[in-house]
Each structure stands twice: as C-alpha cells, then as structure tokens.
Amino acid sequence: MLIKKEDLKKDFKDNLITLYAEDVSEASLEHKYFALSEVIKKYMFENWMKTNRNYSKNEVRQVYYFSIEFLLGRILESNLINLGIRDLCKEALSEMGINLDELCVIEKDAGLGNGGLGRLAACFLDSMASLSIPGHGNGIRYRYGFFDQKIMDGYQIEIPDNWLKDGYVWEIRRNEKAVRVRFNGNVRMVNSNGRLRAIHENYETVLAVPYDIPIVGYDGSTVNTLRLWSAEPMEREFDFSSFSSGDYTKAVEYKYSVEAISQVLYPDDSSIQNKSLRLKQEYFFASAGIQSILRTYKKKGKPIEELYRYVAIHINDTHPSLVIPELMRILVDEENLTWEKAWDITTKVVSYTNHTIMSEALEKWPVSLMMSLLPRIYTIIEEINRRFYLEVKDKFNNNWDKINKVSIIQNGNIMMANLCVVGSRFVNGVSELHTEILKKQVLSDLYEIYPRKFKSVTNGITHRRWLLKINPELVELINDAIGSSWIKKPNSLIELKKYIKDKDFCHEIADVKLKNKIKLAKYIKEKNNIELNPKSIFDIQAKRFHAYKRQLLNIMHIMYLYNKLKENPNTDIIPRTFIFSGKAAPGYKLAKEIIKLINCVADKVNNDNSVNDVLKVVFLENYNVSLAEMIIPCAEVSEQISTASKEASGTSNMKFMMNGAITIGTLDGANVEIKEAVGDDNIVIFGLKAYEVLNYYKNGGYSAMEIYNNDMRIHQILDQLVNGFWCVKESGFIDIHEHLLKYNDEFFVLKDFDEYVKAQEKISRLYQDKIKWNEMSINNIANSGRFSSDNSIKKYAENIWNV
Ligand SMILES: *Cc1c(COP(=O)(O)O)cnc(C)c1O
C-alpha cells in the first residue's frame, strides 16, 4: 500500500478534529497518540478486510493458536514498522512539530501475560502474519492485566494494572459474534432413536463477547486476527429473571460472578492455582473459541467430517486443553457424529506444546470440581479415559504402574498433560533438551505408546521487535554492512561473520553498545538515583523471579565480591554493574524475599564508597515488555543461569544474544542450542548438566550442608543472611537460609556456586580484551537469526499444522 506523507498529515489533523475538536497546537500527547493510532488503523483495516475475504473464499487451512496469555506490549510502533511507514510517519509528525517517540510511549503495555509463555504467543502471531500464514490467536481479554510492581523499602508491592482505563484503540468489539458458554447444572443420558444422548440441564449461561485485534505482518499485506473474549452476563437473565422476581441483589451478584471470569490474569508463572475461577477461565475461552471456529467453518458450506482439512488448532501449554472435550462435545452432541468419527476429527485437528517438566506447573484438576462446574465435559473426559485405558492395558500387559502413569484420571485428579497427549495429533517440546527430557522422563510412557506424535520445535523471538524496533543504531550498522535482507530472512544475519575481523566494524559495534548503555544509565539515574559508570560491564538478569531461575546465585556472587573487596581492598576487579529486573508471584514468599535481599545488597554496595566505583547493583522495578525493550540493547552479559533441566527453553536468552550480549549460562533449555550456534568460545557455560541434576533428584546424594561446612565463602554469605549484615530485617533472610540449608537447596545454588564464580572471572578476563569481546558479540548477533520465531513458525507450519 502506498501511503503519502501529505495524506498522513491530513488524516492525522482530521482525526484530532473529529475526535477532540482540537488542532495540533492544542492537543495533548495522549490525544495525538490516539489520533495517530486511528490513522494507522485506517491503513491496516483495508488489508485486514482483504485478508479476511481471502480466507473465507479460499480453501486454505486456518490455524488457531489458543493461549491463555498474549503478552503484546505496545503495538503502535510495531505496526508502523510492519506497514513500512515508521520513517515516513516520523517525518510527517516532525514537520508538525511532533516527536513520534513521545507518542509511542503513551501507549499502555497490553500486559495480558506473565512472561515467556505469553510473549512467545505474541511473537508467534507476528511471525505467522509476516510469513502470510493464516494464523489467528484466541485468548482472554482480561480487564486487569499483569500487576504493576512497585518497590517500597526494598519490598515488592503489587498494584492493579487498569490498562483499559482510557480505552484500547487496537480492538474492535464484535457484539454480533458473541457466543454462549454453559457452566454448572447436571447431565442426563437419554435414549433417542437407539442412541445415547446427553442432556445438559439447569446450567448457567455466560455470554462470551469477542474483541478483535488486527495483527499486521511485515510488509503489511497479511493482517490476521487476535480474538480475545470478554465474559458478560446474558442481558435477559440479568434484567428480568432475578430482577423482576424482586431479588435485586441476586441479580447483581450474578452479574459480578460472570464478569469475574475475564476480570484478572492469574499472576503465577511456572506454578498452578487450583482455583475454580481459573478452570472457568480455561473453559470459557476454549469453548468460545471452538464455537467461533465452527461457525466460521460452517459458512464455507463444507461437511463437518472434513473439518480437519481446513482447521488446525494449537494449544499453548495445557491451559486451553478443554478444547479437546469441547470439540468432542459439539461434534457428538450437536453435530450428531459417532464418538469414533468425532475422535478421529479431534485428534487430527489439535496439537499441543508442552512448556514445563516441573510438577508444580503441570495442571491437574480435581474430578469433583470438573464434575460440578462442567458436568458434560467431565463425562466426555471420563469416556476418553475409558477408551484410552482399553487401548493401553494390553499394550502395557496390565503393568499397573505404567497404566496409572499415563492415565488421564489419577487418584481423583484429571491430568491435563496426559489428556493433551492422548487427544492431539502432535506434541512438542520447546527446545531439543526439553523434548528429550519429555520423551525419556516426564512423558516417557506416553512416548512409548505414541512415539511418532513427539516433535521438537525450539522457541523463538521475532527479530522485528527484538532487534529492528529496539536497537535502531545497531540496525543501521548491520544494514550498512550486509543490507536489510535479514529482516525478511533472519538467517542472513550470518553474513555479519565476514566482519568479525574488521576492526572498524568492531569499534562501531562497541560504540553503539556504549551509547545504549549511556542512555540506560541516564534512565537509572532518574529512576533509582544511582550513578552508573557506562564503561563498566553491564550484566543483566531480567526475567520472572523463581527459585529455579536462580537470581539467588547471581546475588550471592555479588555478596561474595563485596566480602572479598572488603577483606582485601586491593583486589583487582573489572568494574561491573549488575542489573536485575522481574516480578515475583504475589504469594511466592521465597521469591519476594530474594527481591528484598537484592535491594538490601544494592543499598549497601552502592553507598559504600570503598567499593562503589567498581561495583553497582540496580533493581529496576516493573519488568514488562517495554522495559525489556529498553534494557536488552544495553546488556553485555546475559544471565541465563537456571538449574539445568528446569528452563524448558527460555527466550530472553535469545533476545540478549541478538543484541550482542554474551551469555553466561548453564546447559539448560535453548542455551544448549545457543552454544551450538555460537561455538564454545562465544559463550560462558558452567554448572551441573541436566542429567546430573535429574540423577540427584532420583537418587539423592547431594548435601548443601557439606558445601556450607567446606566452602568458607558460602559459609560467610549464608551467615550474613541471618545476622543483620546486609540490612536490618526482622528475622533476617530466614526463608532463603532455610531453603538453602534446612531444605537442602532444591535448585543446587551452592553446588554451582564455585563454577559460577569461575565463569564470572572468565567473563571479566574476556572483557579486558576489547577486540576479542567485540568479536564474541558480533558472533552472537550473526548467529541469532536461527532463533527468530519465523524459523519456529515454519517448523510448526510444515511438521505440525501442515499449512
Ligand atoms: C522475553 C520475556 C520474558 C521471558 O524471559 P525468560 O528469561 O525467557 O524467562 C519474560 N518477560 C518479558 C517481559 C519478556 O519480554
């Protein structure tokens, strides 16, 4: 689409008038942001309509990506980039005296996700549209997104994220496409025409109203749809049934209990909340999504038996797993297909990505809850389980131990991962290591039954956001060197390897990094009132707080450095700035205590003049997509130090390397593949291997106490946790202390400490050789193309969705 600068200016001014009755000189930044967004929408919507018309006319298979989270962040600037008009728009605005960057930051982050899983879904949407794959998102329109984090006196405070307060410009409410979702009630089986038929009675109906967000691909021609569902009361029931019978309060209660379903995003990452409201959310968007897919499909006039040829449904982790019994319900109860036929279709349509091996994150729902909340869905799951049992009992020769492990219903619980594997065409892990662990350990018995179902697709990130958008000066350097073909074909970044020995290029790379660091230092000075040395190593760990991600290992290393400097002030140390950012789940005591510890250490270190010219510690509050975009281009060291086997893939590891940071990490998740891509010399690896960790869990043999008794560095650090050394805190950091000693250090922090210290010393040594360091950095950028989500999506398209 050709967009002219003068038209853009005119459209913009017209919008200011029609929206606010203001001209450019009067309008606030907010108003300018909304007026500009409306202009961009007009440009996008034409192609959105075209794309949709195309999809309904053509016989191509549609992919529906179901995810309980989509962590979009801001999208104005991404839309401009993908439409190819960022520069044009910048110019047009600047001619009117407006700075585009100032408008972009007005947009509130759409924080409809916790972290990696939700951000992955957002990157995948970008890649599907950019590769012109008919792929749509299906999720929940949370009234409150992921909470905002404030740090007060070193502690995390949670504040509701009222992101819809001023309205969200990018969505369209589609009243006419609302569907009904049923909860509670009871199920009766009746015999009709020789067939058993389920009758669901006395249910409560919830209206699911879709809000559609356009997803523009790079070059703007394909515009797919992210459909987010909002829960609303059925008007009739609210206004009449209870109200007219005189029970006003009951009517209002009903309204609130329905709206609660899409009110709030659960803020737990890598652990489950067995709350009935969460189960309601899961069924709500699964059912609404399936109903909407079937309605669209039926408009084509094709027989329902051929659904699998035109539709692929992907479920991002188990949260949307009720699509399996829901699709069965509609095919059997409403479309009158036989069970066998319905099962055949369902297992050809659905595919499933597993995201974790940690038992606290593997979803299971009590039978009693499922039975009362979703009685028909429960009977379907029961029947799936019964038939599956008949199939496997011979295969496993009545080996009860094995049969129980694969069973969908176990000891009064429904095991959602098992349901997903049984009900899906394909199952995939999110890195090579993770997939191996699934096959060999976590899902080994299911793997034995369905070896051909299992695939591996390593996660990815969209390089259009995580490089093109956020690091313009680096992009300019890259484009000058190798052209811009990498934007469409990220693997072409590999051509940068030619420049590794080019001294000028190396210097320029270093200059860009320094400039980015200076910008961040300025922000930190304003935000945290901490003065940074931009020449120091910027060492960043930014991700959710979780014990397995081991921010604790990072801060303990800093405590060790401090102790060492105090003991021997002449210690030679390369200046370092350690930056942390991330949120803890509100109920996760240990993680919150680690945040407090980091802030205490930061306080002491930053204010101690004998060390603070070589050591600085910063905690940046409220980690979200926009903050990630700001800090990642400034990193020189990327901390990816999870306990091996625990991080299924990780994606911030990829974002950091793409912006030239060197990874210090364990052989976990996609770090293994990053090491393979960049080579041993361009990454610093330490610590236990995944199989060593898994062996310890299985066979024991690890003693944290022994390490505490033998390593004086650790001894000192642990004692300081509880003797008031770092700051006065009632009862000290007792939870951390007990986690490490009394409960034997579940994540092997003490075990990996020594190797981590050595790895950090190696980083410092490497950094002193500027030329070598820049070579490493270029190597990381050059090899990052492999981790573009375009590559992941191509694999899904070819091997899993067949589109
Ligand atoms: C990429 C990203 C994550 C995931 O980080 P990991 O280190 O892979 O866990 C989490 N939150 C935000 C805001 C991100 O952009």
Side-chain angles (χ1 to χ4, degrees):
M1 194 189 343
L2 198 68
I3 295 165
K4 295 206 196 74
K5 191 165 68 184
E6 290 312 314
D7 293 343
L8 200 155
K9 284 162 79 170
K10 181 173 183 314
D11 288 343
F12 175 75
K13 288 178 184 164
D14 287 351
N15 280 350
L16 277 180
I17 294 173
T18 51
L19 286 171
Y20 306 108
E22 288 172 344
D23 68 16
V24 173
S25 68
E26 295 162 315
S28 64
L29 285 176
E30 277 80 10
H31 287 177
K32 287 176 192 152
Y33 162 75
F34 282 109
L36 177 64
S37 299
E38 293 294 339
V39 180
I40 307 311
K41 267 161 73 173
K42 191 174 109 183
Y43 303 153
M44 285 159 64
F45 284 11
E46 268 174 46
N47 282 342
W48 200 10
M49 293 189 294
K50 262 190 222 152
T51 305
N52 282 333
R53 249 177 257 138
N54 237 329
Y55 289 161
S56 48
K57 220 172 45 220
N58 291 344
E59 311 250 294
V60 283
R61 175 178 284 175
Q62 304 289 309
V63 177
Y64 297 93
Y65 194 84
F66 279 58
S67 178
I68 202 160
E69 303 184 357
F70 286 91
L71 188 47
L72 296 177
R74 295 182 178 132
I75 58 178
L76 169 59
E77 196 175 356
S78 293
N79 287 343
L80 292 175
I81 290 172
N82 284 4
L83 289 168
I85 56 169
R86 176 164 62 167
D87 292 341
L88 181 94
C89 189
K90 214 177 186 113
E91 225 178 278
L93 290 171
S94 116
E95 287 172 15
M96 295 183 281
I98 302 166
N99 179 348
L100 173 63
D101 297 337
E102 285 176 16
L103 298 198
C104 288
V105 298
I106 296 290
E107 181 172 358
K108 287 220 164 56
D109 270 50
L112 308 184
N114 272 283
L117 176 135
R119 185 54 232 174
L120 182 77
C123 284
F124 279 4
L125 291 180
D126 180 84
S127 285
M128 288 191 288
S130 296
L131 296 168
S132 291
I133 289 170
H136 313 283
N138 188 81
I140 297 176
R141 180 180 181 270
Y142 299 105
R143 177 70 185 71
Y144 292 91
F146 193 27
F147 68 83
D148 281 331
Q149 177 196 55
K150 285 251 176 304
I151 300 296
M152 290 173 80
D153 188 27
Y155 292 100
Q156 167 179 302
I157 307 290
E158 300 91 23
I159 301 192
D161 166 37
N162 193 4
W163 72 293
L164 289 169
K165 190 165 49 97
D166 305 318
Y168 188 58
V169 275
W170 305 107
E171 65 184 5
I172 296 185
R173 180 183 168 99
R174 302 238 185 243
N175 278 321
E176 72 286 2
K177 294 193 170 164
V179 298
R180 293 157 187 222
V181 180
R182 296 165 176 181
F183 293 96
N184 301 111
N186 50 280
V187 172
R188 199 158 49 88
M189 302 303 286
V190 297
N191 204 324
S192 101
N193 299 330
R195 223 190 120 169
L196 267 187
R197 185 167 292 284
I199 311 279
H200 187 187
E201 299 170 315
N202 304 319
Y203 49 81
E204 219 174 68
T205 306
V206 171
L207 196 64
V209 184
Y211 286 74
D212 288 352
I213 299 172
I215 305 293
V216 203
Y218 187 76
D219 86 4
S221 53
T222 298
V223 183
N224 289 330
T225 302
L226 167 59
R227 176 159 286 179
L228 300 178
W229 298 93
S230 177
E232 297 183 8
M234 297 287 293
E235 239 169 58
R236 234 178 1 155
E237 286 171 41
F238 174 56
D239 286 344
F240 299 108
S241 65
S242 301
F243 191 58
S244 61
S245 65
D247 200 343
Y248 170 74
T249 46
K250 204 167 163 193
V252 176
E253 270 169 28
Y254 160 73
K255 180 178 175 338
Y256 281 114
S257 75
V258 167
E259 286 171 353
I261 295 172
S262 55
Q263 203 69 359
V264 53
L265 167 79
Y266 277 97
D268 304 83
D269 196 63
S270 306
S271 66
I272 54 165
Q273 283 284 324
N274 268 106
K275 299 264 165 62
S276 72
L277 185 58
R278 172 72 169 197
L279 183 58
K280 271 190 180 171
Q281 291 186 330
E282 295 186 358
Y283 181 64
F284 171 73
F285 88 107
S287 172
I290 294 285
Q291 291 184 59
S292 140
I293 290 167
L294 289 178
R295 186 177 51 201
T296 304
Y297 173 71
K298 284 178 138 187
K299 277 203 209 129
K300 280 187 192 289
K302 303 274 181 205
I304 194 75
E305 286 85 352
E306 288 184 21
L307 181 74
Y308 67 92
R309 295 171 57 180
Y310 301 96
V311 167
I313 293 174
H314 200 87
I315 57 184
N316 193 26
D317 213 330
T318 57
H319 322 117
S321 57
L322 293 176
V323 299
I324 293 166
E326 176 66 1
L327 185 54
M328 286 299 289
R329 180 188 72 76
I330 296 179
L331 294 177
V332 172
D333 292 358
E334 293 177 13
E335 299 294 333
N336 296 312
L337 297 184
T338 62
W339 181 278
E340 290 75 13
K341 188 74 222 168
W343 186 245
D344 181 56
I345 295 170
T346 301
T347 51
K348 277 178 179 160
V349 163
V350 179
S351 50
Y352 154 63
T353 297
N354 173 288
H355 278 271
T356 184
I357 62 160
M358 296 199 299
S359 56
E360 67 267 36
L362 287 173
E363 282 195 303
K364 52 183 182 186
W365 292 106
V367 164
S368 54
L369 178 63
M370 189 75 74
M371 243 167 158
S372 72
L373 195 65
L374 304 166
R376 177 55 181 146
I377 292 302
Y378 176 69
T379 58
I380 290 171
I381 293 173
E382 211 174 30
E383 180 65 11
I384 295 172
N385 189 45
R386 189 185 69 84
R387 289 176 184 243
F388 175 60
Y389 163 75
L390 293 176
E391 206 184 302
V392 296
K393 93 176 158 60
D394 296 333
K395 204 166 212 151
F396 283 163
N397 289 320
N398 294 314
N399 177 335
W400 285 101
D401 186 44
K402 279 175 100 151
I403 294 170
N404 188 49
K405 268 203 252 160
V406 299
S407 184
I408 296 168
I409 302 176
Q410 296 177 15
N411 312 318
N413 284 306
I414 304 171
M415 315 304 283
M416 304 315 270
N418 291 4
L419 173 65
C420 285
V421 175
V422 174
S424 292
R425 172 119 196 245
F426 293 114
V427 177
N428 73 285
V430 291
S431 69
E432 282 160 22
L433 175 65
H434 169 60
T435 307
E436 275 315 296
I437 296 174
L438 286 181
K439 290 191 202 171
K440 297 220 170 84
Q441 314 235 356
V442 185
L443 300 175
S444 61
D445 298 302
L446 283 163
Y447 177 60
E448 194 181 327
I449 302 170
Y450 306 114
R452 279 190 304 276
K453 274 196 191 185
F454 285 69
K455 309 234 170 188
S456 181
V457 184
T458 301
N459 281 167
I461 54 164
T462 170
H463 57 290
R464 286 169 292 270
R465 178 177 287 259
W466 295 109
L467 177 54
L468 186 58
K469 172 171 185 275
I470 69 174
N471 205 340
E473 302 208 28
L474 178 58
V475 168
E476 207 180 305
L477 263 189
I478 295 173
N479 288 350
D480 285 350
I482 62 168
S484 58
S485 65
W486 60 273
I487 299 170
K488 281 237 137 198
K489 296 197 200 91
N491 292 34
S492 323
L493 282 172
I494 200 74
E495 288 167 33
L496 280 176
K497 281 197 133 178
K498 286 189 296 225
Y499 292 85
I500 284 175
K501 294 289 171 198
D502 182 325
K503 289 247 160 48
D504 290 340
F505 191 75
C506 280
H507 281 133
E508 286 167 336
I509 286 279
D511 280 351
V512 167
K513 183 65 81 182
L514 183 63
K515 274 192 204 160
N516 290 340
K517 287 163 69 184
I518 290 170
K519 247 193 263 167
L520 181 64
K522 204 169 149 241
Y523 173 83
I524 288 172
K525 173 70 193 159
E526 279 164 21
K527 193 89 188 146
N528 297 44
N529 197 23
I530 300 170
E531 199 86 49
L532 298 186
N533 169 8
K535 295 251 166 86
S536 63
I537 305 175
F538 276 30
D539 176 319
I540 306 187
Q541 186 169 22
K543 50 183 77 247
R544 287 303 295 269
F545 271 77
H546 200 294
Y548 86 80
K549 291 181 184 278
R550 298 201 295 191
Q551 283 92 352
L552 184 54
L553 179 57
N554 189 344
I555 195 66
M556 281 176 59
H557 167 247
I558 299 169
M559 293 156 82
Y560 153 73
L561 287 181
Y562 180 82
N563 289 337
K564 193 166 133 181
L565 278 167
K566 292 308 272 188
E567 211 163 282
N568 182 1
N570 296 324
T571 305
D572 198 20
I573 170 170
I574 311 299
R576 222 53 88 133
T577 298
F578 293 95
I579 299 173
F580 294 82
S581 196
K583 296 172 186 172
Y588 194 167
K589 255 185 102 192
L590 178 65
K592 291 176 107 170
E593 198 169 287
I594 293 169
I595 290 178
K596 171 66 177 169
L597 174 63
I598 291 169
N599 284 308
C600 283
V601 172
D603 251 6
K604 193 167 175 105
V605 170
N606 298 340
N607 294 308
D608 184 335
N609 289 330
S610 68
V611 303
N612 65 13
D613 52 342
V614 289
L615 221 52
K616 282 275 162 65
V617 183
V618 179
F619 188 101
L620 283 175
E621 71 182 7
N622 204 32
Y623 188 57
N624 61 14
V625 172
S626 290
L627 188 56
E629 291 174 7
M630 180 159 79
I631 64 186
I632 287 170
C634 312
E636 293 172 297
V637 178
S638 158
E639 298 274 350
Q640 307 298 338
I641 59 178
S642 54
T643 310
S645 80
K646 296 288 178 182
E647 189 78 272
S649 160
T651 47
S652 77
N653 45 4
M654 302 166 185
K655 299 168 193 165
F656 279 107
M657 84 178 285
M658 191 173 272
N659 285 275
I662 311 305
T663 304
I664 180 169
T666 48
L667 283 178
D668 199 14
N671 294 354
V672 178
E673 288 155 72
I674 291 177
K675 170 172 170 283
E676 212 174 272
V678 300
D680 296 357
D681 292 342
N682 297 302
I683 188 168
V684 177
I685 294 293
F686 72 95
L688 289 171
K689 312 282 180 289
Y691 65 86
E692 293 172 325
V693 169
L694 294 169
N695 271 340
Y696 274 127
Y697 285 135
K698 215 160 146 189
N699 307 320
Y702 173 55
S703 165
M705 190 58 82
E706 203 177 299
I707 298 181
Y708 169 74
N709 287 330
N710 291 312
D711 187 326
M712 285 310 113
R713 301 167 300 181
I714 288 176
H715 201 104
Q716 183 180 15
I717 293 166
L718 291 204
D719 290 356
Q720 286 171 346
L721 283 176
V722 286
N723 69 9
F725 179 82
W726 291 102
C727 57
V728 188
K729 175 178 182 292
E730 212 182 319
S731 72
F733 295 95
I734 188 73
D735 286 342
I736 299 175
H737 191 270
E738 290 193 338
H739 172 80
L740 291 175
L741 280 188
K742 191 166 160 197
Y743 302 112
N744 202 33
D745 185 17
E746 185 182 347
F747 297 103
F748 302 95
V749 173
L750 305 193
K751 180 80 185 167
D752 276 346
F753 181 82
D754 180 58
E755 275 200 37
Y756 182 59
V757 170
K758 291 191 175 114
Q760 288 290 19
E761 285 165 354
K762 183 170 174 189
I763 289 275
S764 290
R765 265 199 317 278
L766 289 165
Y767 196 77
Q768 283 171 282
D769 183 348
K770 281 282 166 324
I771 294 176
K772 169 74 190 148
W773 186 267
N774 290 328
E775 280 179 25
M776 291 170 68
S777 180
I778 297 168
N779 235 309
N780 271 269
I781 302 166
N783 286 293
S784 68
R786 158 166 171 185
F787 300 101
S788 164
S789 44
D790 286 9
N791 289 322
S792 319
I793 286 298
K794 278 186 196 155
K795 264 189 140 178
Y796 279 104
E798 279 163 29
N799 303 335
I800 294 183
W801 304 328
N802 294 115
V803 290

